[in-house]
């Protein structure tokens, strides 16, 4: 890992990623902190085919761009998009509150698009095999059920349970009932 100073606008953000959430008060304090004290922890990126891809530090990057900072410190590793996604998922999952649906999307991208096996995802992220398997199953829920998970109308445990229902209409009916009575 190398420390570099780069223009923040040169950093690309993957479309599918895990991003921690802050409440409004924390976000305001974060913005004020960056504006007065700067960014105290380097942003983490991977260099993939000559381009810098964000793996950790989206809020720091957004603030750097908002403040029009000419350069920011970044830790750069050589790697692939799989490395970017795995590192993002690992660091994002460990750092704070984020929608489970984002974890599902990253797992789906790794498993279905990049053809990375469950064991490799587990090894690269530190997540348990059961958790990764459940996220893969959740990626197969109907769009409505996934939207309910996104909107926090159902909890991850309920989403995992819904994966056992193979009939899409019944899956959605049970999902709506779960949301109503949860």
């Amino acid at each position: 890992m190398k420390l570099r100073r780069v223009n923040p606008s040169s950093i690309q953000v993957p479309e599918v990623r895990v991003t921690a959430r802050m409440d409004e008060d924390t976000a305001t304090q974060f913005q004020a902190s960056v504006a007065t004290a700067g960014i105290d922890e380097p942003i983490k990126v991977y260099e993939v085919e000559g381009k810098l891809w964000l793996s950790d530090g989206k809020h720091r990057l957004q603030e750097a761009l908002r403040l029009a900072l000419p350069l920011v410190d970044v830790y750069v590793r050589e790697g692939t998009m799989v490395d970017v996604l795995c590192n993002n998922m690992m660091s994002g999952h460990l750092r704070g509150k984020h929608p489970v649906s984002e974890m599902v999307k990253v797992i789906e991208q790794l498993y279905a698009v990049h053809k990375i096996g469950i064991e490799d995802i587990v090894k690269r992220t530190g997540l348990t095999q059961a958790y990764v398997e459940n996220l893969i199953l959740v990626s197969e829920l109907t769009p409505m059920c996934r939207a309910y998970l996104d909107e926090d109308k159902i909890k991850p445990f309920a989403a995992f349970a819904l994966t056992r229902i193979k009939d899409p209409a019944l899956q959605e009916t049970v999902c709506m009932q779960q949301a109503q009575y949860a």
Side-chain angles (χ1 to χ4, degrees):
M1 189 169 0
K2 298 175 186 168
L3 183 63
R4 275 197 228 163
R5 292 187 56 76
V6 304
N7 183 323
S9 64
S10 70
I11 300 171
Q12 301 195 41
V13 179
E15 199 171 305
V16 175
R17 66 181 320 277
V18 175
T19 303
R21 300 296 194 264
M22 294 185 224
D23 61 50
E24 191 175 324
D25 186 48
T26 303
T28 301
Q29 290 179 44
F30 177 75
Q31 290 174 343
S33 171
V34 171
T36 58
I39 298 173
D40 68 341
E41 184 178 338
I43 295 166
K44 294 179 183 171
V45 301
Y46 278 82
E47 189 164 3
V48 180
E49 298 176 5
K51 295 181 181 178
L52 298 178
W53 287 92
L54 178 73
S55 70
D56 182 56
K58 185 173 181 186
H59 295 108
R60 287 170 274 158
L61 176 61
Q62 287 173 327
E63 281 307 297
L65 292 168
R66 187 180 72 79
L67 295 170
L69 298 177
L71 297 172
V72 293
D73 288 334
V74 296
Y75 284 127
V76 181
R77 292 181 177 164
E78 295 289 326
T80 65
M81 285 308 294
V82 169
D83 295 321
V84 172
L85 294 173
C86 286
N87 186 268
N88 165 252
M89 189 167 44
M90 179 185 62
S91 64
H93 186 63
L94 297 175
R95 285 203 181 206
K97 195 77 174 147
H98 60 277
V100 173
S101 61
E102 289 182 359
M103 294 285 287
V104 169
K105 289 174 186 172
V106 174
I107 290 285
E108 184 176 35
Q109 184 88 6
L110 289 167
Y111 188 72
V113 176
H114 293 285
K115 306 296 185 208
I116 303 300
I118 293 169
E119 297 80 22
D120 200 25
I121 295 170
V122 167
K123 189 179 354 173
R124 288 170 172 252
T125 63
L127 300 172
T128 67
Q129 183 165 337
Y131 189 70
V132 170
E133 289 171 350
N134 282 336
L135 292 176
I136 289 169
L137 290 173
V138 168
S139 76
E140 297 170 1
L141 289 175
T142 68
M144 189 213 81
C145 292
R146 285 183 64 171
Y148 271 48
L149 180 61
D150 278 349
E151 297 161 12
D152 207 26
K153 291 180 180 177
I154 62 170
K155 299 297 178 200
F157 179 78
F160 297 152
L162 285 171
T163 65
R164 294 192 174 118
I165 302 170
K166 300 305 174 195
D167 176 4
L170 182 57
Q171 193 180 80
E172 290 181 356
T173 300
V174 173
C175 180
M176 287 186 287
Q177 289 172 342
Q178 176 63 33
Q180 184 177 2
Y181 298 110

